[in-house]
Amino acid sequence: MHRLDGGDAAVAERLKTAQMGRIRVLVAKPGLDGHDRGAKVVARALRDAGLEVIYAGLRQTPEMIVETALSEDVQVIGLSVLSGAHCELVSRVRELLDAEGLKQIRLVVGGTIPDADADRLRKQGVAAVFQPGASLEQIVAEVRKAGGLRA
Amino acid sequence: MTRRSLDSPATLSGLPVERIYPADAARLPEPPGEYPYTRGIHRTMYRGRLWTMRQFAGFSTPEETNERYRYLLAQGQTGLSVAFDLPTLMGYDADDPMAAGEVGKCGAPVSSLEDMEILFAGIPLGEVTVSMTINSPAAILWGMYLVVAEQQGVAWDRVAGTLQNDILKEYIAQKEYLYPPRPSMRLVTDTIEFGARHTPRFNPISISGYHIREAGSTAVQELAFTLRDGLEYVDWALARGLAIDEFAPRLSFFFNAHNDFFEEIAKFRAARRLWARLMRERYGAREERSWKLRFHAQTAGCSLTWQQPYNNVARTTFQALAAVLGGAQSLHTNSLDEAYALPSEHAVTLALRTQQVLAEESGVPADPDPLGGSGCLERLTDQMEAAAREYMDQIDRLGGMIPAIEQGFPQREIAEASYRYQRAIESGGKIVVGVNAFVSPEGESVDLLRVDQEAHSRQASRLARLRARRDRTRVEHALAALQGAARGSANTMPFILEAVRAYATVGEICRAFGEVFGSYQESCTV
């Protein structure tokens, strides 16, 4: 786990960002897919836009993602999947979040996701789906919206 | 529309492009087929033999993938290239809980020798060359392939093809690693040594820049990191006691053919020149075959757009032309629908036809190197070579590629480059047709390949039947012997072959190695 804003004073930082009303977002890659170019670019863009980003990185099981979301107290989880396994993996994360009573945590998903699957994911309550070609500007705005703050 | 991107013309790597080059830039290098092979490794290039048309394919189940292979061969494709699914790439069997949702999604699932037998049923392995994209478990899948060849009655010294087996670029870019770098390098060295002794026509490794580029690197970084990885494999094989000319002729390479047309051609030429000199000067290789860099090229997947997908056909065509003008030995052209999903049969046929049109209609293959002596290209080749050397020296100073990887050096350089590239697109400084310019309000739809969940259950039940049927004692003995070999210093290939013949699975063999080698986790940085 790597905290983008740097490590030791994590708790103090969290209090501070909470007071400042900054959105905390977890960026993770569920499943076996190792293509992390997109996740890294997005994490950096969110950070540059002033959000607090927790980058969990590769090979996160849905269980690990939910646990991190809980302990890091995030408002938004961004999942990146380029392996075609998005429907299975994203549904599982949503189920686990709901089972933990974390309905308030919003999910956004990006990757090689065909239109039909994007619709399906939105119906399952995914706040935003970013298909190839989505702009960073659009992603930042949607994550802010999902986090409950105005862009 | 103003042409903002041409205000200060530069290549994608940032090398300057002059309005006009001085006469001395247009110096013609040595003829094709002569050291250091700037203009190609053969005297006649494609006049003698066309490049191999090799489309990367695999999905759903071994049966369906086998069908696609036969289709592609029937359409005039001249070689095969196996895409394995993510569980196989990561050393998990199809029935492993970690494989949930991923079986057959982005390649063919192969958990045991039985799956490999199905994958190549009816395909004569003595006649078709096969490339396999597999890295961490490469030695295991190669073992399965060799056993299937044996079953077909094809002697190992006749089997020809390529194993990707390039673990260093996994740590750098694609991230499909299992074990820490050093034991992984030992496995790679085992295959290089085994290949030098038993499979003289097989390339045990394909040192790959493709994935480095797809992860967002520049052309210069792709070239430098790939060749520096190559030197690392050479150093390990030499340390094993092999002589340079015993294995260097079978080292092969794999590069990306990206958008910047002349920079890409310059990259291929610089790669050949650099490698030839390194092999001859740094390692004292004496055989010409050791000096010659042979490479496969694939057009740039990351350049494909989701918007206006038919534009991708145009991109792929000129990227393929760059690979041909750059002297590639084999080529994969991407399909127009790959920003959405794995290619449909229709899309992959069009991609193959693109190569056939280039080969048969464009007239380009008639001249071994029609661009040699162009001021722009010769200058770019020199600049590309110098810039790559600088990076390689920097990695030498860090203590070699493994310490550089452990310090996150290539990873950081690539992440920086990819962020800069994305920002340039967002700001409009870099134009992508259909994405940030010439956009159309209406979407265009394409028919996509869909992989259902049935693949998973079919594979899992076949595996259950196999586990019940096979000789369990033989499997256990083979795995125990394999672990013994892993703990010692013997070449692991004979032990892998015995485990494979006993129908031990990819997951079982990978776990057995893992218990000895441990696992690897990168310290992730953004």
Side-chain angles (χ1 to χ4, degrees), chain B residues 98-177:
Chain B
M98 285 299 288
E102 317 231 33
V103 175
K105 280 283 159 63
C106 54
V110 173
S111 302
S112 77
L113 177 59
E114 187 182 21
D115 292 329
M116 196 66 109
E117 290 161 357
I118 297 167
L119 197 63
F120 291 108
I123 296 171
L125 299 188
E127 290 160 38
V128 178
T129 63
V130 177
S131 165
M132 282 178 281
T133 296
I134 184 86
N135 294 282
S136 285
I140 303 163
L141 277 297
W142 191 37
M144 290 178 179
Y145 183 80
L146 292 176
V147 173
V148 172
E150 202 173 67
Q151 289 172 356
Q152 290 191 4
V154 181
W156 285 353
D157 60 6
R158 276 183 54 220
V159 179
T162 303
L163 194 63
Q164 191 164 85
N165 201 20
D166 171 11
I167 197 65
L168 291 173
K169 64 95 172 58
E170 295 299 333
Y171 300 109
I172 296 171
Q174 192 174 231
K175 312 293 171 76
E176 285 157 9
Y177 42 70

Side-chain angles (χ1 to χ4, degrees), chain B residues 481-525:
Chain B
L482 179 98
Q483 284 197 323
R487 281 194 196 92
S489 60
N491 190 311
T492 53
M493 269 313 289
F495 299 90
I496 291 172
L497 282 161
E498 168 53 22
V500 162
R501 287 195 173 101
Y503 290 89
T505 65
V506 169
E508 288 161 347
I509 299 173
C510 283
R511 244 191 333 272
F513 276 136
E515 284 165 18
V516 178
F517 295 150
S519 62
Y520 180 80
Q521 232 136 31
E522 69 171 358
S523 50
C524 47
T525 46

Side-chain angles (χ1 to χ4, degrees), chain B residues 72-293:
Chain B
L72 286 167
L73 291 171
Q75 297 306 309
Q77 176 166 297
T78 48
L80 293 176
S81 174
V82 184
F84 294 102
D85 70 354
L86 262 175
T88 309
L89 294 170
M90 290 301 296
Y92 293 109
D93 292 333
D95 58 358
D96 192 294
M98 285 299 288
E102 317 231 33
V103 175
K105 280 283 159 63
C106 54
V110 173
S111 302
S112 77
L113 177 59
E114 187 182 21
D115 292 329
M116 196 66 109
E117 290 161 357
I118 297 167
L119 197 63
F120 291 108
I123 296 171
L125 299 188
E127 290 160 38
V128 178
T129 63
V130 177
S131 165
M132 282 178 281
T133 296
I134 184 86
N135 294 282
S136 285
I140 303 163
L141 277 297
W142 191 37
M144 290 178 179
Y145 183 80
L146 292 176
V147 173
V148 172
E150 202 173 67
Q151 289 172 356
Q152 290 191 4
V154 181
W156 285 353
D157 60 6
R158 276 183 54 220
V159 179
T162 303
L163 194 63
Q164 191 164 85
N165 201 20
D166 171 11
I167 197 65
L168 291 173
K169 64 95 172 58
E170 295 299 333
Y171 300 109
I172 296 171
Q174 192 174 231
K175 312 293 171 76
E176 285 157 9
Y177 42 70
L178 294 176
Y179 316 124
R182 286 170 186 83
S184 296
M185 285 296 284
R186 181 255 178 114
L187 288 178
V188 173
T189 311
D190 285 352
T191 59
I192 293 176
E193 184 183 34
F194 188 86
R197 309 252 185 272
H198 302 283
T199 58
R201 297 184 61 214
F202 212 95
N203 306 314
I205 189 166
S206 170
I207 306 158
S208 306
Y210 186 82
H211 321 79
I212 291 172
R213 191 65 179 281
E214 290 291 299
S217 84
T218 64
V220 168
Q221 290 168 346
E222 178 195 353
L223 175 61
F225 297 161
T226 307
L227 295 198
R228 190 60 191 75
D229 284 349
L231 300 186
E232 210 65 44
Y233 296 115
V234 169
D235 288 337
W236 278 65
L238 292 174
R240 179 63 65 90
L242 291 168
I244 185 82
D245 288 317
E246 274 186 287
F247 66 92
R250 291 251 67 97
L251 301 175
S252 63
F253 289 82
F254 173 21
F255 291 109
N256 201 301
H258 209 288
N259 276 343
D260 197 319
F261 191 69
F262 291 110
E263 180 173 63
E264 291 302 289
I265 300 170
K267 178 184 75 186
F268 303 132
R269 301 168 102 239
R272 272 193 298 270
R273 196 150 84 192
L274 268 165
W275 189 251
R277 288 184 175 147
L278 285 163
M279 286 300 101
R280 193 178 189 176
E281 290 164 16
R282 184 160 164 165
Y283 292 102
R286 299 168 80 163
E287 282 197 34
E288 262 196 64
R289 295 190 314 139
S290 301
W291 304 337
K292 291 180 175 177
L293 178 146

